[in-house]
Amino acid sequence: MLRRLWAKTLSLVDRIGIDPDDGDELRRRKRLAVRASIGGIIFQLFLGAVFLAFDEPLPALPVFGGAAFLLANLLVFGLTHRHFHGFVFGGTLVPLLSGPLSAALLGQNILDNSSIIWTFLAPMLIMVIYTPRHALPWLVASFVVAIGTLFVQPHIRTANTLPPSAQVAVAAFNMVGFALFVFFSLSYFISQRAIAFRLLRAEQQKAQALLLNILPEEIAATLKDDNQAIANQFDGVSILFADVVNFTALSATMSATELVDLLNEVFSHLDTLVEKFDLEKIKTIGDCYMVASGVPRPRQDHAQVLASLALEFRDSVARREFRGKRLAFRIGLNSGPVVAGVIGRKKFIYDLWGDAVTTASRMESHGAEGAIQITQATYDLIKDDFVCEPRGRIDVKGKGEMSVWHVLGKADAA
């Protein structure tokens, strides 16, 4: 019950002076300043009551005056939600001045002068709410006021009516109160900083996840440390291109939104298969999907694993519909050396260059519907593990006549 009441009260306090448009950092500063102000009011009222209880109205005057000023300052800020910096400035003046003034009016006694310690709360509050640079002038002012009070106090009053036990109680109250103010202010600041760090880490993880959706992990790590272009030679790589048959005619019968949804479903299905085989999706070009095996992590079975992916893709799309439509695909594979890397500074991707890439694209564009067409280079690598049907020699744009095969299935399955 008490915990619930405390949480509800704290929630109401933390809404004082808050605007909907305030950012997280400004909200943190406002809440800390409001909490410090309310704590200051309670402390000033209690200390003033102690002075009155021992028949010392003079030192009680600046204490009650400080409480009244803090209350008025808080009410104005809470009602107007304006002039936050003025609210902080006014609230910080109270511990800077009321403590030393109360000590001077109480009389010259080292125990009584414990009230002076409150003047050092001013730079601490400024440092927590703003920065150490902003707090430096307040620290200088605190030293000036405290030292000045020690020199002036003997000329104002030299004795008081407080018994020794009361003087000890006042000194203890001042020290405990000051320690509590510092502890709760710093703990609030540290807790908010921890929240900020957690949010920062969450955003960093989101950014990392987004980066890894664009680039391979090794390349992303390299780009973080080096801003230069990345280019690596790979001698053994296999490349796959998959393309929707009659996509132009199909797109003419669909709205733009329907077309995007269709491609998203198709490519998401392909993404799942690529992850299953631990391969690297390179990019999509319109309705064309490009995958590579052997980059950026070289592997001896690059052709075999990519052929396995092609077979699973061919068979899975033959068994299902995408947005209620049966789609046919052409798939082309080739193997050979490539250069892989990242170039440019904006909207970069991990890409491949070389004749092997061009030839793989030609295998797809010159292929047949529902077929997986491969070159001699890929056939030589997978012929012992897959059943391949020779298709003879075909005229390939930019390459001339080439011998090609269709991959029918795995050898062990046959």
Side-chain angles (χ1 to χ4, degrees):
M1 181 67 180
L2 290 176
R3 182 179 297 179
R4 190 180 308 165
L5 181 61
W6 170 255
K8 188 174 182 179
T9 302
L10 201 59
S11 176
L12 292 173
V13 167
D14 285 343
R15 288 203 292 266
I16 295 176
I18 300 295
D19 282 325
D21 297 333
D22 290 342
D24 291 338
E25 179 63 19
L26 182 56
R27 287 172 181 262
R28 181 194 68 80
R29 293 178 178 180
K30 285 185 175 181
R31 286 167 180 165
L32 181 57
V34 168
R35 289 187 181 187
S37 183
I38 292 175
I41 293 171
I42 295 173
F43 172 80
Q44 299 274 44
L45 291 176
F46 186 82
L47 186 59
V50 171
F51 287 145
L52 289 181
F54 289 98
D55 196 25
E56 285 289 349
L58 280 178
L61 286 177
V63 174
F64 282 129
F69 181 83
L70 287 175
L71 181 60
N73 194 35
L74 181 63
L75 288 175
V76 171
F77 176 65
L79 293 174
T80 63
H81 294 196
R82 297 179 180 178
H83 310 299
F84 172 64
H85 300 301
F87 169 68
V88 174
F89 179 81
T92 310
L93 281 177
V94 172
L96 182 69
L97 299 177
S98 66
L101 185 57
S102 175
L105 294 175
L106 189 59
Q108 180 64 32
N109 187 294
I110 190 63
L111 291 176
D112 302 333
N113 282 335
S114 61
S115 297
I116 296 177
I117 196 173
W118 284 96
T119 191
F120 296 105
L121 184 65
M124 292 185 180
L125 287 174
I126 293 296
M127 182 171 59
V128 173
I129 295 175
Y130 294 107
T131 65
R133 180 176 61 85
H134 292 91
L136 187 58
W138 289 88
L139 181 62
V140 174
S142 297
F143 280 119
V144 171
V145 171
I147 295 173
T149 303
L150 292 176
F151 281 104
V152 171
Q153 187 183 45
H155 303 288
I156 297 177
R157 190 180 181 194
T158 58
N160 57 64
T161 60
L162 292 180
S165 58
Q167 294 178 13
V168 173
V170 170
F173 182 76
N174 279 323
M175 288 186 288
V176 171
F178 181 82
L180 289 176
F181 261 97
V182 173
F183 175 80
F184 285 113
S185 297
L186 290 179
S187 63
Y188 180 78
F189 169 76
I190 292 171
S191 66
Q192 292 300 308
R193 187 182 64 174
I195 293 173
F197 278 134
R198 283 200 298 271
L199 293 174
L200 179 60
R201 283 194 294 269
E203 291 301 319
Q204 288 175 334
Q205 290 171 355
K206 290 180 183 178
Q208 178 73 2
L210 180 61
L211 187 61
L212 293 180
N213 274 334
I214 301 172
L215 299 172
E217 184 176 354
E218 299 87 344
I219 304 303
T222 303
L223 275 179
K224 286 181 180 180
D225 299 329
D226 193 348
N227 244 355
Q228 297 180 355
I230 299 173
N232 298 305
Q233 174 76 34
F234 294 89
D235 294 327
V237 175
S238 292
I239 307 101
L240 176 150
F241 284 89
D243 189 72
V244 180
V245 177
N246 296 323
F247 179 75
T248 303
L250 178 66
S251 62
T253 64
M254 304 174 67
S255 68
T257 302
E258 291 173 335
L259 187 63
V260 170
D261 290 340
L262 174 66
L263 288 177
N264 180 63
E265 185 172 329
V266 172
F267 291 161
S268 296
H269 175 64
L270 273 179
D271 290 344
T272 302
L273 296 180
V274 170
E275 289 181 0
K276 175 183 175 181
F277 286 90
D278 193 26
L279 297 177
E280 197 65 45
K281 172 185 176 181
I282 302 302
K283 60 184 175 181
T284 59
I285 311 166
D287 62 314
C288 186
Y289 191 95
M290 179 182 177
V291 186
S293 176
V295 292
R297 297 171 296 278
R299 55 190 302 170
Q300 295 297 321
D301 61 344
H302 57 88
Q304 287 83 354
V305 72
L306 195 60
S308 298
L309 169 68
L311 286 171
E312 184 151 346
F313 176 45
R314 181 198 65 183
D315 297 339
S316 65
V317 298
R319 294 191 300 264
R320 61 173 293 173
E321 293 181 347
F322 296 94
R323 294 283 168 175
K325 298 181 182 296
R326 289 281 182 178
L327 301 179
F329 291 82
R330 289 187 303 267
I331 302 175
L333 275 76
N334 182 40
S335 303
V338 300
V339 174
V342 178
I343 59 175
R345 293 185 176 273
K346 293 184 178 180
K347 298 183 180 179
F348 47 76
I349 63 169
Y350 185 70
D351 209 349
L352 309 182
W353 301 274
D355 182 68
V357 179
T358 304
T359 304
S361 177
R362 295 287 187 265
M363 287 299 101
E364 175 272 312
S365 60
H366 289 72
E369 179 180 317
I372 303 170
Q373 185 161 272
I374 64 174
T375 61
Q376 176 81 51
T378 303
Y379 172 74
D380 290 339
L381 293 172
I382 70 170
K383 61 184 179 182
D384 295 332
D385 304 301
F386 293 82
V387 177
C388 301
E389 178 184 32
R391 304 301 296 169
R393 295 179 67 82
I394 64 173
D395 186 34
V396 178
K397 179 181 177 182
K399 302 292 294 182
E401 288 193 349
M402 296 183 66
S403 297
V404 297
W405 283 259
H406 283 178
V407 181
L408 302 182
K410 292 186 176 182
D412 53 1

